[in-house]
Amino acid sequence: MSSINIPAICFIAASGTGKTSLLEQLIPALQKRGLRVAAIKRSHHDFEIDQPGKDSFRLRAAGAKAVIIASKYRKAAIFESADKAEPELDSLIALLDAKTIDLVVVEGFKHAPIPKIELHRKALENPLLHIKDPYTVAVASDVALDLAGLPCLDLNNAPAIAEFIATTLLNQPVEPPADLCSIEPQGLLTLEQALAHIKTAVQPVRQTRQIPLASALDRVLAEPVISGLNLPQDRQSAMDGYAFMASDLTPAGVDLILAGTSSAGHPYADLLKSGQCIRIMTGAVVPEHADSVVMQEQVGINGKHIHIPGTVKTLNNIRQSGEDIKRDEILLNAGKQLTACDLGLLASAGVAEITVTRKLKIGFFSTGDELRPVATELATGQIHDSNRYILGGLLAESCHEVNDLGIVPDNPKTLEQHLLAAAGNHDVLISTGGASVGDADFVHEILSNHGTTQFWKLAIKPGKPLVFGSIKGSYFFGLPGNPLAVITTFQQLVKPALKMLMGAAELKPLRIRATCTSDLKKSPGRREFQRGILHQDENGELRVASAGKQESHLLTVMSRANCYIVLAEECGPVTAGEQVWVEPFDTRI
Ligand code: AMP
Ligand code: MG
């Protein structure tokens, strides 16, 4: 392997640990450090990346041992392995141009003699398999592990893993800890960096409340709930039909005597005897000794004689006691934000009261001399304040106690007074507008004078000017003024922060691949959250179209969108037909 001419690092983990998801975050983080990254992924399948019917596919089918397809955007080469020999990592790396690549990240090839990082996720309960491998340089885990001197990195902190690789493997100088203000004005923070800073800054509220189940929707469990019952409690029928003993059935079928009925809420009082069956309804208790239920449509009825054909499947159609959950098992973990389904689950276990974290007190206001409340006539230059309605809607969850603090003009003194009066009385304050660098933008300056600024300005669009910090014990988000920037920054940053504050388990947004049916404008630089309309075509394929012009004041475009098309920082324009990442808007049950 001495022939490897480009530094490479291998990531190993059990499947499901999130190797590719980590690399998706790590590659931009490495790129941000000026590194040009290539990726190699080991596959154990007879994979196909070409498509039947394409010219390149036809050339290969005609017998070409290698096919190269190239345009001004990218090149692809497909080599057929004639001997089906296992691929060698060094010969794959040799295909890359050392003049244009600084680092190769490798998925798989766990036996290759190159530096390795083993990934670990506690919930999967997989043992660490490679810590004794002399090439393993670190473990990245979602929990702190004591590894006898081997570094344990944070699996959810791609920038920190990038720093580790850059400093230990590539000898880049160690940067001072990222003081966010110092990053400005040279660079903009990525979304992940901003979220990592929020995670470090936010201390979850500790106070709890005991509340009745009926008012628990959206509240966050402060402690696990243990089931006091087996669910279901009894063995129940899953059908309307007849309960019988499997041992009575012969290949020729059997005639059984109808001995009684068990319906929901009215169990059959006796034991079932051989030669008998009982009429039974869905959800009714299956009597002792009965082990099978046959659907009513499958039997023949002649007075009290029920004929069960020999072909009927036995030991079927019975819900076992404790099948859903057993007594003393955890029904729901602390940190679960309760959905309608969770309320049903808790109710089924007879739980009447639960302990949740207290509500967050959140205040919000709009800033801008141009803003007027709804139901007022507009003079030239004035607009109605939409942002407070957006925020009111976005914050409408029972775990929030929300205060609308009105409209504040673009006057630094008034804004300062307003902010100082509200700070300290709220867990979180959110303002919109005035967060940028215009002549009437004072939010950042006031926060810096009276509190601490954690960051300002992000590499996302919409939402570049965004101030996060704290003032008099309140966390503060100064969101941009454009309504769409308010929505996007709320969803991407404020909402995760509120969840962290309530101690809610982290929920990563679902991102899926879809074929883009529109050309999209995009310049490399910031991550864009473009408004899209996602649908499934007649073949079940996911397709996404632009919802319209992508300027951040166009609320009608956002209103008809059902997803974001998420375009990575380095991505340029998208041509219709390309695959893109899509983040559907949130829906919960
Ligand atoms: P700003 O961030 O204050 O420079 O505002 C950016 C844009 O958003 C301007 O066109 C503002 O008029 C607009 N804007 C600011 N606040 C609001 C609001 N509350 N409702 C609707 N538009 C707003
Ligand atoms: Mg303004």
Side-chain angles (χ1 to χ4, degrees), residues 40-42 79 87-96 109:
I40 295 181
K41 181 181 168 68
R42 174 85 165 90
F79 302 97
E88 294 280 350
L89 184 59
D90 53 354
S91 56
L92 298 176
I93 293 180
L95 295 171
L96 299 169
F109 289 102

Side-chain angles (χ1 to χ4, degrees), residues 286-318:
V286 177
E288 233 177 292
H289 297 162
D291 56 15
S292 306
V293 170
V294 53
M295 265 167 97
Q296 61 190 35
E297 291 83 353
Q298 290 181 290
V299 304
I301 304 172
N302 182 4
K304 288 270 174 199
H305 292 264
I306 307 296
H307 178 75
I308 303 181
T311 49
V312 160
K313 219 171 142 203
T314 54
L315 309 178
N316 214 11
N317 299 330
I318 295 180

